[in-house]
Amino acid sequence: MIDSYQITDTIKNKKYIYLTFNLDKLNKPIRIIVNSPYSELNKSIREAFKYFDIEDLNIAEKSQLNIYTLQILSQENNKMVVNCSTNVVYDRNPVFEGCETSAIKSKLSNCFNSQLSAYIANTISPVQITKAKILGKLNLRVKFLINEKGVIEQINCKAPTDSLSRELNRIIALFPKAKSPATRNGIPTSFTYEKTIDLQIESKNDEYTKEVEEYNEQLYSNDSFLNPNSDLALHFKKYISNKELNDIPLIDFPVLSIYFDIDKKGNPINIKTNANTELNNQLVAIFRYFPFEKLNIKPLNTIDSYSYPIIINRYNKNIIMSNEKPFVHTPPIFDKDCHLSSSKELDNCMNENIKTIVVNNFKRTIGNKTKLTGIIKTSFSFQIDAEGKITNVKATAPNPNICNELEQLIKNISAVYKPQYLNGIAVSRIYRYSYSFDVGANKVNEFKNLVRTYY
C-alpha cells in the first residue's frame, strides 16, 4: 500500500503521515488517529501501534491533558516510506482562568470555548449590533493567536459588517491572558485558535424590529437578479410565517431553490428542492399551489430542467426572494447515442455509462487490491468542463491501490459528447458517485448517485 501512495494525491497532498493519541487514566493510548486519506492504511497503522509498548517511547510527561504525535511515513524521492520518529511530541492547550481544574484535554477545550462565548455575548456592544441592524442569529468567526506568554495577538475576527468586525476584534484584544500558555514538550509555544460562535439577537422593541425589516428589504431590493416581490416570492410568503422562515438552517446551502422538469404536455414534473426531506415536502406542496402558467416560461423544452431560488440567507437573515425568469439547465450528453427525450433520460444515460465503465472494469480486479473483506465503500467525483472534457478527478477508497485504479478509469473517459449548459451558455459541472462492493461475494452493489452541481 505504501508503494502505491500518491504524493500528488488528489485527495490531500500529505508529505508526512502522523499518528496521534491521548492517554487514559491508566496511561493507555486512546483515540488513536492516523491522518492519511486511506482507511485501510490507517487501520493497519493503528493496529500495529496497539501492539507497540509505549514505554519504549520514553514519554517524558504522561497526562490526559496532552495530545501525543508520532511521524509514521514521510516523502522521499517522490515516494512514501516508513520513517517513524524516535521521539514523541506532546502538546497541551493554554489554560485560562476558570479552567484550571479541567483534567482532560476535551474538557479543557470545552471550558475555554464556553468562557469565550459567554465573554463575547456579555461584552460585545449592543450599540454596534443595533447599528448593524441585526436580529436573529449573529454569526461570528473568531480567530487569533495566543503567544508563548499567553497573550492574545494577531486577531482577525469576522462579523457580518465591518463595524461589528472591528468591535469583535476590540473586545477579543481585551480578553484576559492565559494563566499558562500552550506548551510543546513542556516548553511554552504559540497556539492558534479559530472557531465560529453564534449569538441569538432578540429584541422586544417593535420599532427596532420594523427598522431591521425595512433595512433588509432595502438591501435585498438592490439585488439585480432576485426580487422579494416577484409573483413566486409573494406566493411563498403567504404560506411561510416569519418564525418558520427564521428557523430554517441555511448552513450547507445559502440558497434554497426549487427544481423541476417539464413533461410533453408542458406541466412541471419531478419537482424537488435542495432542502431536507420535511422542508422539501413543504416547499414542493406550496409550489404546486402556484399557477404554473404565471411563470411564463418560453420556450419549454423537455430535455431542460428549470430552477428558481426561493429562500436566501443574506447578512445572517433568511428572506424569501425569487427570479422573474428561471435558470434553465441543459444536462451534459454523455455520448451521441443518449436518447434526447427528457432531462431525466439524459441523466440516466450518463449514470448508466459511468456505471458500465467503472463497475465492469473495477470489480474484476478489486479483490486483488485489498485484504479487506465484506462491504467496502468507495466514491469519486469529476468535473465536466465547458468544453466537455473530464477534469479534476478525485477518488476516495480504503487504500491507495483502489483509489489509483478508480481515478484512472475515470480519466480514461477523456470527454463527453456535449457539456452542461446554463441559460444557453456552456458551463462546468461536478458529478459525484459512490458505490459499495462485497469482496467476499465478488458482487458490486448498485450505484448511489450523489450528484451535486456547481456553477
Side-chain angles (χ1 to χ4, degrees), residues 117 120 137-143 158 193-199:
S117 297
I120 292 173
K137 187 172 71 173
L138 173 58
N139 184 271
L140 305 172
R141 188 173 68 84
V142 180
K143 184 178 181 180
K158 299 294 181 183
Y193 180 87
E194 186 169 5
K195 186 176 176 61
T196 298
I197 294 175
D198 291 331
L199 301 182

Side-chain angles (χ1 to χ4, degrees), residues 302-451:
T302 58
I303 71 166
D304 292 331
S305 293
Y306 303 86
S307 70
Y308 286 89
I310 300 299
I311 302 171
I312 67 168
N313 183 275
R314 291 280 179 86
Y315 309 102
N316 291 317
K317 182 177 177 63
N318 294 340
I319 188 166
I320 295 174
M321 304 180 75
S322 195
N323 290 355
E324 297 293 346
K325 295 182 178 180
F327 290 109
V328 182
H329 314 266
T330 306
I333 303 174
F334 186 82
D335 64 36
K336 60 184 178 181
D337 294 327
C338 288
H339 188 50
L340 305 180
S341 64
S342 71
S343 174
K344 188 174 182 179
E345 286 192 357
L346 284 180
D347 278 338
N348 289 340
C349 183
M350 167 76 76
N351 297 339
E352 288 302 316
N353 274 282
I354 295 295
K355 178 179 177 180
T356 299
I357 290 170
V358 175
V359 176
N360 289 352
N361 287 280
F362 203 52
K363 67 181 180 182
R364 297 192 192 102
T365 57
I366 191 62
N368 299 324
K369 302 295 182 182
T370 178
K371 294 181 181 179
L372 295 176
T373 58
I375 302 298
I376 296 177
K377 296 180 179 180
T378 64
S379 63
F380 61 91
S381 66
F382 57 88
Q383 185 177 43
I384 301 175
D385 69 15
E387 296 179 352
K389 295 178 181 177
I390 302 289
T391 63
N392 297 330
V393 181
K394 300 179 182 180
T396 57
N399 71 36
N401 292 307
I402 298 174
C403 193
N404 296 349
E405 182 166 339
L406 187 53
E407 288 187 3
Q408 191 56 52
L409 285 171
I410 302 302
K411 290 176 181 178
N412 288 342
I413 299 173
S414 179
V416 298
Y417 182 58
K418 286 186 178 181
Q420 160 106 4
Y421 284 82
L422 175 63
N423 295 338
I425 301 173
V427 294
S428 62
R429 175 175 180 173
I430 291 179
Y431 271 85
R432 302 182 191 276
Y433 294 88
S434 70
Y435 68 92
S436 59
F437 53 89
D438 190 331
V439 173
N442 193 27
K443 178 181 68 176
V444 176
N445 290 353
E446 190 71 12
F447 263 68
K448 289 183 178 179
N449 190 359
L450 300 180
V451 177

Side-chain angles (χ1 to χ4, degrees), residues 12 25 41 51 108 144 174 188 205 246 260 289 296-297 338 342 425 435 440 449 454:
K12 286 185 179 178
K25 292 180 180 180
L41 177 61
Y51 290 105
L108 181 61
F144 53 81
L174 298 175
N205 187 325
N246 292 331
F260 56 91
Y289 290 128
N296 197 28
I297 300 174
C338 288
S342 71
I425 301 173
Y435 68 92
N449 190 359
Y454 299 84

Side-chain angles (χ1 to χ4, degrees), residues 194-320:
E194 186 169 5
K195 186 176 176 61
T196 298
I197 294 175
D198 291 331
L199 301 182
Q200 190 66 26
I201 308 301
E202 298 177 351
S203 176
K204 295 180 180 180
N205 187 325
D206 293 338
E207 184 177 345
Y208 175 69
T209 301
K210 186 177 180 181
E211 285 180 10
V212 172
E213 291 175 352
E214 290 176 350
Y215 173 75
N216 287 327
E217 286 288 345
Q218 183 179 0
L219 282 177
Y220 306 137
S221 64
N222 292 331
D223 196 303
S224 59
F225 297 103
L226 299 174
N227 182 359
N229 296 311
S230 70
D231 288 341
L232 190 59
L234 293 174
H235 172 75
F236 274 87
K237 287 180 179 180
K238 289 193 300 184
Y239 293 92
I240 301 175
S241 68
N242 286 333
K243 184 181 185 307
E244 289 176 316
L245 184 62
N246 292 331
D247 288 342
I248 295 174
L250 293 181
I251 299 173
D252 296 328
F253 304 101
V255 178
L256 280 182
S257 298
I258 196 144
Y259 304 85
F260 56 91
D261 301 329
I262 300 293
D263 66 15
K264 292 180 180 179
K265 295 181 180 180
N267 299 315
I269 57 173
N270 304 322
I271 305 169
K272 62 182 179 181
T273 72
N274 55 333
N276 60 51
T277 302
E278 183 178 352
L279 181 58
N280 174 79
N281 294 340
Q282 180 188 4
L283 295 177
V284 169
I286 293 172
F287 180 73
R288 290 185 187 278
Y289 290 128
F290 187 77
F292 183 68
E293 61 275 8
K294 290 185 71 173
L295 293 177
N296 197 28
I297 300 174
K298 293 180 180 179
L300 290 173
N301 195 331
T302 58
I303 71 166
D304 292 331
S305 293
Y306 303 86
S307 70
Y308 286 89
I310 300 299
I311 302 171
I312 67 168
N313 183 275
R314 291 280 179 86
Y315 309 102
N316 291 317
K317 182 177 177 63
N318 294 340
I319 188 166
I320 295 174

Side-chain angles (χ1 to χ4, degrees), residues 33-133:
I33 298 173
V34 182
N35 72 326
S36 98
Y38 306 112
S39 61
E40 187 174 0
L41 177 61
N42 293 347
K43 182 180 179 182
S44 297
I45 294 173
R46 287 197 305 270
E47 291 300 319
F49 182 70
K50 289 178 182 178
Y51 290 105
F52 183 78
D53 187 353
I54 66 165
E55 294 300 324
D56 292 339
L57 294 175
N58 297 316
I59 298 174
E61 179 184 289
K62 295 178 181 178
S63 171
Q64 291 178 272
L65 288 169
N66 295 337
I67 183 168
Y68 300 88
T69 304
L70 283 169
Q71 177 184 297
I72 304 298
L73 307 175
S74 68
Q75 175 186 345
E76 288 187 9
N77 298 322
N78 208 35
K79 280 199 169 186
M80 273 293 180
V81 297
V82 176
N83 186 12
C84 297
S85 51
T86 55
N87 297 311
V88 65
V89 174
Y90 55 95
D91 294 287
R92 181 178 296 192
N93 287 5
V95 180
F96 285 81
E97 186 174 356
C99 300
E100 299 92 337
T101 59
S102 300
I104 61 177
K105 183 181 182 300
S106 60
K107 289 186 177 180
L108 181 61
S109 297
N110 292 339
C111 178
F112 178 58
N113 290 338
S114 298
Q115 290 218 356
L116 185 63
S117 297
Y119 169 79
I120 292 173
N122 293 328
T123 311
I124 194 167
S125 169
V127 174
Q128 293 299 330
I129 292 176
T130 302
K131 284 183 178 179
K133 298 292 189 292

